[in-house]
Amino acid sequence: EAQVTQNPRYLITVTGKKLTVTCSQNMNHEYMSWYRQDPGLGLRQIYYSMNVEVTDKGDVPEGYKVSRKEKRNFPLILESPSPNQTSLYFCASGFEGNSNQPQHFGDGTRLSIL
Amino acid sequence: GQQLNQSPQSMFIQEGEDVSMNCTSSSIFNTWLWYKQDPGEGPVLLIALYKAGELTSNGRLTAQFGITRKDSFLNISASIPSDVGIYFCAGQTRNAGNNRKLIWGLGTSLAVNP
């Protein structure tokens, strides 16, 4: 089954404690992306990747890092999380590397930073 | 910056009714995408539109790419309870660096009374 898998689905942690949200897709997609979803603000893009070793900033990249060492994985790293990063995060993938069009989304990771 | 106005913000309808929602902008887009998000899940791509004037259907859903390239419409015919969810539009353009940027609407929340 074609899917985008995020882990963990839920996490409560404290300010400053580094965390990583993993994202993996099994569709051999070139494009992957991270979004955060907040009430009243909709979906905002954090980072995206058009292919392996190629990453670009989205609209709200501050406080986040990503890497794309292999095609299937695109982890989101919060080096020093802060409460304003409490949000619902989605990873997405798409088959066309240069399109920046998400076609498949994961089920989300709800992060609470205390 | 570029913005999308999605309306209505919410709708409450009777099962069997037709639904119409739209997204408008002062900017020109070269792609329009429509997604649906069920509670607790990530968005699912419903329809993608690539040409001005294009009309595309997916089952009971029909979407159109406005002729001015500044708007798009999504219609749902004969609504059923499983149509409940939040519908998002997204328009894509190229920014100054020739990178493709996706702008999201804030969603239309649809409730269907059986």
Side-chain angles (χ1 to χ4, degrees):
Chain A
E1 181 190 349
Q3 57 186 6
V4 177
T5 304
Q6 297 178 225
N7 279 297
R9 292 291 313 278
Y10 305 91
L11 180 64
I12 301 174
T13 188
V14 295
T15 299
K17 185 176 181 182
K18 180 179 177 181
L19 68 91
T20 299
V21 185
T22 64
C23 175
S24 180
Q25 50 96 1
N26 64 359
M27 295 163 280
N28 202 36
H29 282 168
E30 291 181 336
Y31 166 80
M32 296 186 76
S33 180
W34 276 102
Y35 287 85
R36 61 179 289 175
Q37 187 174 34
D38 302 287
L41 297 176
L43 282 155
R44 294 181 292 167
Q45 190 176 51
I46 303 170
Y47 270 94
Y48 63 98
S49 169
M50 298 299 196
N51 213 328
V52 175
E53 301 292 2
V54 180
T55 61
D56 285 292
K57 294 178 181 178
D59 298 313
V60 288
E62 295 77 20
Y64 304 95
K65 283 174 59 176
V66 292
S67 68
R68 188 90 184 273
K69 294 189 171 72
E70 354 162 54
K71 206 171 193 179
R72 64 181 291 125
N73 295 322
F74 191 43
L76 179 70
I77 303 155
L78 285 71
E79 293 271 4
S80 184
S82 62
N84 65 11
Q85 292 176 298
T86 292
S87 186
L88 179 58
Y89 291 84
F90 288 102
C91 180
S93 72
F95 65 80
E96 193 177 336
N98 66 347
S99 71
N100 201 5
Q101 291 175 15
Q103 290 162 316
H104 294 268
F105 279 83
D107 283 336
T109 294
R110 188 167 290 281
L111 285 185
S112 293
I113 316 292
L114 305 177
Chain B
Q2 293 170 306
Q3 287 186 329
L4 280 185
N5 299 310
Q6 186 170 351
S7 66
Q9 190 173 6
S10 61
M11 302 179 75
F12 187 84
I13 61 170
Q14 292 294 124
E15 182 177 359
E17 288 184 4
D18 296 344
V19 173
S20 186
M21 59 190 80
N22 68 82
C23 278
T24 61
S25 176
S26 58
S27 303
I28 289 174
F29 294 96
N30 45 37
T31 299
W32 282 98
L33 306 170
W34 284 93
Y35 296 83
K36 182 193 176 200
Q37 185 175 23
D38 290 328
E41 298 183 14
V44 172
L45 180 63
L46 299 173
I47 293 177
L49 303 159
Y50 298 105
K51 274 172 50 174
E54 180 181 353
L55 186 72
T56 297
S57 293
N58 178 3
R60 293 177 295 105
L61 277 61
T62 302
Q64 183 161 26
F65 193 140
I67 200 75
T68 65
R69 295 170 61 195
K70 294 181 180 181
D71 55 11
S72 180
F73 304 85
L74 176 70
N75 296 317
I76 305 173
S77 62
S79 59
I80 59 178
S82 62
D83 290 334
V84 166
I86 302 177
Y87 292 80
F88 292 98
C89 65
Q92 188 167 62
T93 185
R94 290 181 194 264
N95 63 17
N98 205 35
N99 293 319
R100 301 190 191 201
K101 186 174 175 61
L102 201 60
I103 313 294
W104 291 79
L106 293 183
T108 294
S109 179
L110 178 65
V112 178
N113 191 29

